[in-house]
């Protein structure tokens, strides 16, 4: 069964610190991997999308990495801000079908 | 530009009642999806549509029906609500490379 796992489940950091969120997936064959940010009470918003051939992609203070061989991705947040407090969701799409496989998310809390 | 709009945002139902959630998108997208989000779980696909007049079952379709009579609208219906359908429902539309989500509809079934 295609699965996406994320760790940690939740994370608390102080403002200004860096953090890294992990995503492991079993979806195969793989098409692309996306990271979404979901603020409390809102819909997910796209941060990055990576295809099989891409190893890293940045979007401001967010940097995603992908190792398609080990089926792992990470999202690194630099110099965290209070507004980074949200859930971060890893989403993987396989080559076949319409479905996107969503991870359960990592809940990040940034404290002043 | 409203993007993807869901109505209503909140609803409380009694077991056995029926209701319809409306999703409207103004981006002329062909693909639309309905997901449910439950605590500790990833979003799960209920039904989807690849164009006006078409619908297909997703991962968890039981107890739900959908219709796509107009390209911009995708309706999700619950004919006889059950407590297990208490959830937050998200609609999304898609172009190649991007999914756009609505703000969600929180449904509680008592």
């Amino acid at each position: 069964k295609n699965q996406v796992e994320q760790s940690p489940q939740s994370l608390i950091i102080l403002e200004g610190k860096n953090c890294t969120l992990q995503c492991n997936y079993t979806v195969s064959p793989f098409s692309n991997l996306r990271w979404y940010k979901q603020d409390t009470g809102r819909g997910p918003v796209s941060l990055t999308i990576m295809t099989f051939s891409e190893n890293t992609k940045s979007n401001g203070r967010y940097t995603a990495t992908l190792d398609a061989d080990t089926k792992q991705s990470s999202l690194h947040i630099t110099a965290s801000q209070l507004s980074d407090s949200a859930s971060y969701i890893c989403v993987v799409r396989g080559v076949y079908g319409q479905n996107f496989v969503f991870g359960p998310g990592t809940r990040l809390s940034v404290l002043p | 530009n409203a993007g993807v709009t869901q109505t209503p945002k909140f609803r409380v139902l009694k077991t056995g009642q029926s209701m319809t959630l409306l999703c409207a998108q103004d981006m002329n997208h062909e693909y639309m999806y309905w997901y449910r989000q439950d605590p500790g779980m990833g979003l799960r696909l209920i039904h989807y549509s690849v164009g006006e007049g078409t619908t297909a079952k997703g991962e968890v379709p039981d107890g739900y029906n959908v219709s796509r009579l107009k390209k911009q609208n995708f309706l999700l219906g619950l004919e006889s609500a059950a407590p297990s359908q208490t959830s937050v429902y998200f609609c999304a539309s898609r172009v190649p490379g991007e999914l756009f989500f609505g703000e969600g509809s929180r449904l509680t079934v008592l």
Side-chain angles (χ1 to χ4, degrees):
Chain A
K1 181 180 179 181
N2 291 327
Q3 288 187 312
V4 176
E5 298 178 344
Q6 294 187 242
S7 62
Q9 186 175 39
S10 62
L11 182 62
I12 301 174
I13 62 173
L14 294 176
E15 186 179 14
K17 298 297 186 182
N18 304 335
C19 67
T20 300
L21 314 180
Q22 300 291 341
C23 173
N24 297 332
Y25 62 93
T26 61
V27 179
S28 182
F30 163 87
S31 175
N32 57 65
L33 183 146
R34 306 150 187 253
W35 282 94
Y36 283 83
K37 178 186 179 186
Q38 184 178 21
D39 293 317
T40 301
R42 308 295 295 275
V45 175
S46 179
L47 291 175
T48 66
I49 177 172
M50 302 179 72
T51 60
F52 182 90
S53 60
E54 295 177 298
N55 299 118
T56 185
K57 181 169 280 189
S58 293
N59 178 2
R61 294 180 297 102
Y62 301 100
T63 299
T65 64
L66 173 65
D67 185 334
D69 291 332
T70 61
K71 295 185 170 57
Q72 295 180 326
S73 176
S74 64
L75 180 69
H76 186 74
I77 304 175
T78 303
S80 61
Q81 300 177 359
L82 298 179
S83 59
D84 292 331
S85 293
S87 288
Y88 291 84
I89 302 173
C90 177
V91 185
V92 181
R93 188 175 184 204
V95 171
Y96 306 114
Q98 291 293 329
N99 289 0
F100 298 82
V101 184
F102 289 77
T106 292
R107 178 70 200 177
L108 174 65
S109 298
V110 181
L111 303 182
Chain B
N1 186 353
V4 179
T5 303
Q6 294 181 227
T7 54
K9 288 183 172 47
F10 302 93
R11 184 75 186 269
V12 178
L13 288 178
K14 294 181 179 179
T15 297
Q17 288 185 319
S18 63
M19 76 158 296
T20 300
L21 298 177
L22 170 64
C23 177
Q25 52 100 359
D26 60 3
M27 298 173 282
N28 203 36
H29 293 168
E30 293 290 343
Y31 295 82
M32 296 186 73
Y33 304 82
W34 274 109
Y35 292 94
R36 60 177 288 170
Q37 185 175 42
D38 300 297
M41 302 180 69
L43 276 76
R44 292 182 292 168
L45 182 64
I46 304 171
H47 286 279
Y48 65 96
S49 169
V50 300
E52 180 179 314
T54 73
T55 63
K57 294 181 179 180
E59 180 185 358
V60 289
D62 294 342
Y64 305 94
N65 57 76
V66 288
S67 64
R68 184 99 181 267
L69 298 180
K70 294 182 178 181
K71 186 177 184 178
Q72 64 267 35
N73 294 338
F74 195 27
L75 278 64
L76 178 70
L78 286 72
E79 291 186 346
S80 180
S84 61
Q85 294 177 305
T86 293
S87 188
V88 181
Y89 292 86
F90 286 96
C91 176
S93 68
R94 182 175 76 88
V95 290
E98 194 57 80
L99 269 173
F100 297 88
F101 286 90
E103 294 296 281
S105 298
R106 181 174 294 274
L107 175 64
T108 301
V109 183
L110 303 176

